[in-house]
Amino acid sequence: MNGHKSILPGNLSELERGLEGSLAAAQAAIPVPIDTIWHAYKCPAALLPYLAWAVSVDHWQASWPEHIKRSVIAKSLEVHEIKGTRQAVEKALAAIDIDTDIKEWFEMDPPGKRGTFKITANVTNRGINQEEHKNIQTIINAAKNARSHYDLNVKLINESTQSSISTTLRQSTKTTLYPLEVN
């Protein structure tokens, strides 16, 4: 058995001994320890999509930078524990480096329609395209409770001296662009 110590009983058939030896050799050939594969920040980059699937990441983009992929995987279990809450939406968007400001219907002035909320997603120092806008919506829809509807404002914040813009999505159907003042 090539130096492998068996933990199986002594009454194995030749086929079972052969399978055990083959599997032991295959396992020894794996270059990455198992505990590394299951850690979001230590897992090899090539295996991140499989780890994301294993921890049930709700939304995955192959085009995300590696640090975003690792962050989404690391926060996935936290988001699943509190799914359907305001904190779940905040944590899910924080994983993709988007700061949020959420106001539920009873926090609005005047109070909004029952079961609604307004979310402002602040995208800092990077642009946004239609695909990323759709990603934000998908992440919110996966993390929020099913009964609530929302108005989404996406603000592009540039911490330099260049001007910025903001987009608004109302009830997931309409987008409006607004210029913002430079900070």
Side-chain angles (χ1 to χ4, degrees), residues 97-128:
D97 287 342
I98 294 179
D99 184 38
T100 58
D101 179 36
I102 298 175
K103 290 192 181 207
E104 296 194 50
W105 66 274
F106 53 86
E107 297 172 323
M108 296 176 200
D109 189 27
K113 186 177 176 184
R114 185 178 297 268
T116 63
F117 63 96
K118 289 184 180 181
I119 182 166
T120 302
N122 300 309
V123 180
T124 306
N125 290 335
R126 67 176 194 249
I128 188 170

Short mmCIF file of all heavy atoms in Angstrom, two decimals, residues 97-128:
data_model
loop_
_atom_site.label_atom_id
_atom_site.label_comp_id
_atom_site.label_asym_id
_atom_site.label_seq_id
_atom_site.Cartn_x
_atom_site.Cartn_y
_atom_site.Cartn_z
N ASP A 97 -17.65 45.68 -2.01
CA ASP A 97 -17.11 47.04 -1.79
C ASP A 97 -18.11 48.14 -2.14
O ASP A 97 -17.74 49.15 -2.74
CB ASP A 97 -15.82 47.24 -2.58
CG ASP A 97 -14.65 46.51 -1.97
OD1 ASP A 97 -14.74 46.13 -0.79
OD2 ASP A 97 -13.64 46.30 -2.67
N ILE A 98 -19.35 47.95 -1.74
CA ILE A 98 -20.36 48.99 -1.94
C ILE A 98 -20.94 49.36 -0.59
O ILE A 98 -21.52 48.51 0.11
CB ILE A 98 -21.46 48.54 -2.91
CG1 ILE A 98 -20.86 48.34 -4.30
CG2 ILE A 98 -22.60 49.54 -2.96
CD1 ILE A 98 -21.82 47.88 -5.34
N ASP A 99 -20.77 50.62 -0.20
CA ASP A 99 -21.32 51.13 1.04
C ASP A 99 -22.79 51.46 0.81
O ASP A 99 -23.16 51.93 -0.27
CB ASP A 99 -20.55 52.39 1.46
CG ASP A 99 -20.99 52.92 2.79
OD1 ASP A 99 -21.29 52.11 3.69
OD2 ASP A 99 -21.08 54.15 2.93
N THR A 100 -23.65 51.22 1.80
CA THR A 100 -25.07 51.43 1.60
C THR A 100 -25.67 52.30 2.69
O THR A 100 -25.17 52.37 3.81
CB THR A 100 -25.84 50.08 1.61
OG1 THR A 100 -25.60 49.43 2.83
CG2 THR A 100 -25.44 49.22 0.46
N ASP A 101 -26.76 52.94 2.32
CA ASP A 101 -27.59 53.67 3.27
C ASP A 101 -29.02 53.20 3.00
O ASP A 101 -29.53 53.42 1.90
CB ASP A 101 -27.45 55.18 3.07
CG ASP A 101 -28.33 55.95 4.04
OD1 ASP A 101 -28.48 55.51 5.19
OD2 ASP A 101 -28.87 57.00 3.64
N ILE A 102 -29.63 52.54 3.97
CA ILE A 102 -30.96 51.97 3.79
C ILE A 102 -31.94 52.68 4.72
O ILE A 102 -31.66 52.83 5.91
CB ILE A 102 -30.97 50.45 4.08
CG1 ILE A 102 -30.04 49.74 3.10
CG2 ILE A 102 -32.38 49.89 3.99
CD1 ILE A 102 -29.87 48.26 3.38
N LYS A 103 -33.07 53.09 4.14
CA LYS A 103 -34.15 53.67 4.94
C LYS A 103 -35.40 52.86 4.68
O LYS A 103 -35.87 52.78 3.55
CB LYS A 103 -34.38 55.13 4.56
CG LYS A 103 -33.26 56.02 4.98
CD LYS A 103 -33.62 57.46 4.86
CE LYS A 103 -32.41 58.25 5.30
NZ LYS A 103 -32.72 59.52 5.81
N GLU A 104 -35.91 52.26 5.75
CA GLU A 104 -37.15 51.51 5.62
C GLU A 104 -38.33 52.46 5.66
O GLU A 104 -38.20 53.63 6.03
CB GLU A 104 -37.23 50.46 6.73
CG GLU A 104 -36.11 49.43 6.60
CD GLU A 104 -36.32 48.22 7.44
OE1 GLU A 104 -37.43 47.65 7.37
OE2 GLU A 104 -35.38 47.84 8.14
N TRP A 105 -39.49 51.98 5.25
CA TRP A 105 -40.66 52.83 5.07
C TRP A 105 -40.99 53.67 6.29
O TRP A 105 -41.38 54.82 6.17
CB TRP A 105 -41.87 51.97 4.66
CG TRP A 105 -42.34 51.02 5.72
CD1 TRP A 105 -41.86 49.75 5.94
CD2 TRP A 105 -43.33 51.25 6.69
NE1 TRP A 105 -42.52 49.18 7.00
CE2 TRP A 105 -43.44 50.08 7.48
CE3 TRP A 105 -44.17 52.32 6.98
CZ2 TRP A 105 -44.32 49.97 8.53
CZ3 TRP A 105 -45.06 52.19 8.04
CH2 TRP A 105 -45.13 51.03 8.80
N PHE A 106 -40.81 53.14 7.49
CA PHE A 106 -41.16 53.86 8.70
C PHE A 106 -40.08 54.88 9.10
O PHE A 106 -40.31 55.70 9.98
CB PHE A 106 -41.44 52.90 9.86
CG PHE A 106 -40.34 51.91 10.10
CD1 PHE A 106 -39.26 52.22 10.90
CD2 PHE A 106 -40.38 50.65 9.50
CE1 PHE A 106 -38.25 51.31 11.12
CE2 PHE A 106 -39.38 49.73 9.72
CZ PHE A 106 -38.30 50.06 10.53
N GLU A 107 -38.90 54.84 8.45
CA GLU A 107 -37.83 55.80 8.74
C GLU A 107 -37.85 56.99 7.78
O GLU A 107 -37.12 57.94 7.98
CB GLU A 107 -36.46 55.10 8.64
CG GLU A 107 -36.28 54.00 9.64
CD GLU A 107 -35.02 53.21 9.41
OE1 GLU A 107 -34.64 52.97 8.25
OE2 GLU A 107 -34.40 52.81 10.42
N MET A 108 -38.65 56.90 6.73
CA MET A 108 -38.71 57.96 5.73
C MET A 108 -39.52 59.14 6.26
O MET A 108 -40.38 58.99 7.13
CB MET A 108 -39.35 57.44 4.44
CG MET A 108 -38.58 56.34 3.76
SD MET A 108 -39.51 55.75 2.34
CE MET A 108 -38.76 54.17 2.07
N ASP A 109 -39.23 60.31 5.72
CA ASP A 109 -39.97 61.51 6.11
C ASP A 109 -40.53 62.15 4.86
O ASP A 109 -39.75 62.71 4.08
CB ASP A 109 -39.07 62.48 6.86
CG ASP A 109 -39.84 63.64 7.46
OD1 ASP A 109 -41.04 63.46 7.75
OD2 ASP A 109 -39.24 64.71 7.63
N PRO A 110 -41.79 62.08 4.58
CA PRO A 110 -42.86 61.41 5.33
C PRO A 110 -42.74 59.90 5.18
O PRO A 110 -42.08 59.42 4.26
CB PRO A 110 -44.14 61.93 4.65
CG PRO A 110 -43.73 62.23 3.25
CD PRO A 110 -42.30 62.70 3.35
N PRO A 111 -43.40 59.14 6.06
CA PRO A 111 -43.32 57.68 5.97
C PRO A 111 -43.73 57.16 4.60
O PRO A 111 -44.66 57.67 3.98
CB PRO A 111 -44.31 57.20 7.05
CG PRO A 111 -44.38 58.32 8.01
CD PRO A 111 -44.22 59.58 7.19
N GLY A 112 -43.00 56.16 4.14
CA GLY A 112 -43.26 55.59 2.82
C GLY A 112 -44.35 54.54 2.86
O GLY A 112 -44.99 54.31 3.89
N LYS A 113 -44.56 53.91 1.73
CA LYS A 113 -45.55 52.84 1.62
C LYS A 113 -45.06 51.65 2.45
O LYS A 113 -43.89 51.27 2.38
CB LYS A 113 -45.71 52.46 0.15
CG LYS A 113 -46.80 51.47 -0.09
CD LYS A 113 -46.95 51.20 -1.59
CE LYS A 113 -47.99 50.13 -1.81
NZ LYS A 113 -48.10 49.77 -3.23
N ARG A 114 -45.97 51.05 3.19
CA ARG A 114 -45.64 49.92 4.07
C ARG A 114 -44.95 48.80 3.26
O ARG A 114 -45.37 48.46 2.17
CB ARG A 114 -46.90 49.38 4.72
CG ARG A 114 -46.65 48.29 5.72
CD ARG A 114 -47.94 47.83 6.37
NE ARG A 114 -48.59 48.89 7.12
CZ ARG A 114 -48.40 49.10 8.43
NH1 ARG A 114 -47.56 48.34 9.10
NH2 ARG A 114 -49.03 50.07 9.04
N GLY A 115 -43.88 48.27 3.81
CA GLY A 115 -43.17 47.16 3.18
C GLY A 115 -42.18 47.58 2.11
O GLY A 115 -41.71 46.76 1.35
N THR A 116 -41.84 48.87 2.06
CA THR A 116 -40.86 49.34 1.07
C THR A 116 -39.63 49.87 1.79
O THR A 116 -39.66 50.15 2.99
CB THR A 116 -41.45 50.45 0.18
OG1 THR A 116 -41.78 51.58 0.99
CG2 THR A 116 -42.67 49.97 -0.57
N PHE A 117 -38.57 50.03 1.06
CA PHE A 117 -37.38 50.68 1.58
C PHE A 117 -36.64 51.36 0.45
O PHE A 117 -36.83 51.04 -0.72
CB PHE A 117 -36.47 49.71 2.35
CG PHE A 117 -35.89 48.59 1.55
CD1 PHE A 117 -34.61 48.69 1.03
CD2 PHE A 117 -36.58 47.40 1.36
CE1 PHE A 117 -34.04 47.66 0.31
CE2 PHE A 117 -36.03 46.36 0.65
CZ PHE A 117 -34.76 46.48 0.12
N LYS A 118 -35.84 52.35 0.82
CA LYS A 118 -34.98 53.04 -0.15
C LYS A 118 -33.55 52.69 0.19
O LYS A 118 -33.14 52.71 1.34
CB LYS A 118 -35.16 54.56 -0.07
CG LYS A 118 -36.49 55.03 -0.59
CD LYS A 118 -36.58 56.54 -0.57
CE LYS A 118 -37.95 56.96 -1.10
NZ LYS A 118 -38.07 58.42 -1.12
N ILE A 119 -32.80 52.36 -0.83
CA ILE A 119 -31.40 52.00 -0.62
C ILE A 119 -30.53 52.88 -1.52
O ILE A 119 -30.80 53.04 -2.71
CB ILE A 119 -31.14 50.50 -0.87
CG1 ILE A 119 -29.68 50.15 -0.60
CG2 ILE A 119 -31.55 50.10 -2.25
CD1 ILE A 119 -29.43 48.66 -0.50
N THR A 120 -29.53 53.47 -0.91
CA THR A 120 -28.54 54.24 -1.65
C THR A 120 -27.25 53.44 -1.61
O THR A 120 -26.71 53.17 -0.54
CB THR A 120 -28.32 55.63 -1.03
OG1 THR A 120 -29.58 56.32 -1.01
CG2 THR A 120 -27.32 56.43 -1.83
N ALA A 121 -26.80 53.02 -2.78
CA ALA A 121 -25.56 52.26 -2.91
C ALA A 121 -24.47 53.22 -3.36
O ALA A 121 -24.56 53.79 -4.44
CB ALA A 121 -25.74 51.13 -3.90
N ASN A 122 -23.48 53.43 -2.52
CA ASN A 122 -22.40 54.36 -2.82
C ASN A 122 -21.21 53.61 -3.41
O ASN A 122 -20.55 52.84 -2.73
CB ASN A 122 -21.96 55.09 -1.55
CG ASN A 122 -23.10 55.88 -0.94
OD1 ASN A 122 -23.77 56.64 -1.62
ND2 ASN A 122 -23.34 55.67 0.35
N VAL A 123 -20.97 53.85 -4.68
CA VAL A 123 -19.85 53.22 -5.40
C VAL A 123 -18.72 54.24 -5.42
O VAL A 123 -18.84 55.28 -6.04
CB VAL A 123 -20.28 52.81 -6.82
CG1 VAL A 123 -19.12 52.16 -7.55
CG2 VAL A 123 -21.48 51.88 -6.77
N THR A 124 -17.63 53.93 -4.73
CA THR A 124 -16.55 54.89 -4.55
C THR A 124 -15.37 54.58 -5.46
O THR A 124 -14.91 53.45 -5.54
CB THR A 124 -16.08 54.88 -3.09
OG1 THR A 124 -17.21 55.10 -2.25
CG2 THR A 124 -15.05 55.96 -2.83
N ASN A 125 -14.88 55.62 -6.14
CA ASN A 125 -13.65 55.61 -6.93
C ASN A 125 -13.61 54.56 -8.03
O ASN A 125 -12.56 54.00 -8.33
CB ASN A 125 -12.42 55.43 -6.03
CG ASN A 125 -12.17 56.66 -5.19
OD1 ASN A 125 -12.56 57.76 -5.55
ND2 ASN A 125 -11.53 56.48 -4.06
N ARG A 126 -14.74 54.25 -8.60
CA ARG A 126 -14.77 53.38 -9.78
C ARG A 126 -16.05 53.67 -10.54
O ARG A 126 -17.00 54.22 -10.00
CB ARG A 126 -14.67 51.91 -9.40
CG ARG A 126 -15.86 51.35 -8.66
CD ARG A 126 -15.69 49.85 -8.44
NE ARG A 126 -16.91 49.23 -8.03
CZ ARG A 126 -17.12 48.72 -6.83
NH1 ARG A 126 -16.18 48.77 -5.93
NH2 ARG A 126 -18.27 48.14 -6.55
N GLY A 127 -16.05 53.31 -11.76
CA GLY A 127 -17.23 53.51 -12.59
C GLY A 127 -18.22 52.38 -12.40
O GLY A 127 -18.00 51.44 -11.65
N ILE A 128 -19.33 52.51 -13.09
CA ILE A 128 -20.35 51.47 -13.03
C ILE A 128 -20.94 51.34 -14.43
O ILE A 128 -21.14 52.32 -15.13
CB ILE A 128 -21.43 51.80 -11.97
CG1 ILE A 128 -22.38 50.62 -11.79
CG2 ILE A 128 -22.17 53.06 -12.32
CD1 ILE A 128 -23.30 50.77 -10.61
#
